[in-house]
């Protein structure tokens, strides 16, 4: 059991796992910010443009509530598809925001082109070597 715990500790303390944990926490907070942006700012503006429509109120009543006077015996069974539309809208904004962040990170990561190193000095050509050998043989 001790070896298992040691392996788990090594796994949990690796950089990638810690980075992922931080990413999940920040992503959750970012999701809440975007949800607030959509529900508190964007959707009211859309409602103002569309004449007061509120997507979150859109629903399909599958079964009406059963009432006994003022008391609800069985609550209504509804499919709140307007809320689903708002969640999709949240997702699109989050996905687009993450796309922009990753695009910016990738742009910063790109290495600038390195200046080309000067070419190594060219050695003597074949003709120059043959002429040198000829001259050496002549001198002997």
């Amino acid at each position: 059991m001790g070896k298992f715990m040691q392996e788990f500790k090594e796994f949990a303390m690796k950089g990638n796992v810690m980075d992922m944990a931080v990413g999940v926490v920040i992503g959750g907070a970012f999701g809440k910010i975007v949800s607030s942006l959509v529900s508190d700012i964007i959707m009211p503006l859309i409602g103002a443009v569309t004449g007061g429509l509120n997507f979150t109120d859109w629903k399909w009543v599958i079964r009406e509530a059963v009432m006994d006077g003022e008391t609800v015996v069985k609550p209504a069974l509804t499919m709140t598809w307007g809320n689903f539309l708002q969640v999709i809208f949240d997702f699109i904004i989050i996905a687009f925001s993450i796309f922009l962040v990753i695009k910016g990170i990738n742009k910063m990561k790109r290495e600038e082109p390195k200046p080309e190193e000067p070419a190594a000095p060219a050695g003597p050509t074949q003709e120059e070597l043959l002429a040198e050998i000829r001259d050496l043989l002549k001198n002997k």
Side-chain angles (χ1 to χ4, degrees):
M1 187 64 149
K3 184 176 180 178
F4 177 79
M5 291 304 291
Q6 180 64 28
E7 287 179 19
F8 177 73
K9 181 180 175 184
E10 288 173 10
F11 168 77
M13 292 302 156
K14 283 185 181 176
N16 292 342
V17 174
M18 298 303 284
D19 291 344
M20 184 177 69
V22 169
V24 167
V25 171
I26 290 175
F30 183 70
K32 288 180 181 181
I33 290 170
V34 171
S35 294
S36 176
L37 171 73
V38 171
S39 64
D40 299 333
I41 296 174
I42 295 175
M43 295 310 272
L45 291 174
I46 291 175
V49 170
T50 59
L53 293 176
N54 184 356
F55 293 117
T56 56
D57 292 338
W58 291 0
K59 60 186 169 187
W60 177 47
V61 179
I62 298 170
R63 183 186 69 214
E64 295 288 337
V66 176
M67 305 289 288
D68 184 19
E70 294 284 321
T71 310
V72 177
V73 176
K74 279 188 179 179
L77 182 61
T78 60
M79 191 178 304
T80 54
W81 61 276
N83 190 46
F84 181 68
L85 285 176
Q86 183 161 345
V87 171
I88 289 173
F89 197 63
D90 287 355
F91 172 77
I92 290 169
I93 291 174
I94 291 171
F96 184 70
S97 301
I98 291 173
F99 167 75
L100 292 177
V101 167
I102 290 174
K103 186 174 180 168
I105 289 171
N106 287 341
K107 188 175 183 179
M108 290 187 326
K109 278 186 178 180
R110 280 190 211 129
E111 294 181 27
E112 294 182 19
K114 296 179 182 175
E116 292 184 25
E117 294 181 19
T125 63
Q126 201 172 25
E127 289 80 18
E128 293 171 338
L129 288 173
L130 288 173
E132 192 175 324
I133 292 171
R134 181 196 64 210
D135 293 341
L136 286 172
L137 288 173
K138 274 187 188 178
N139 293 338
K140 277 191 171 185

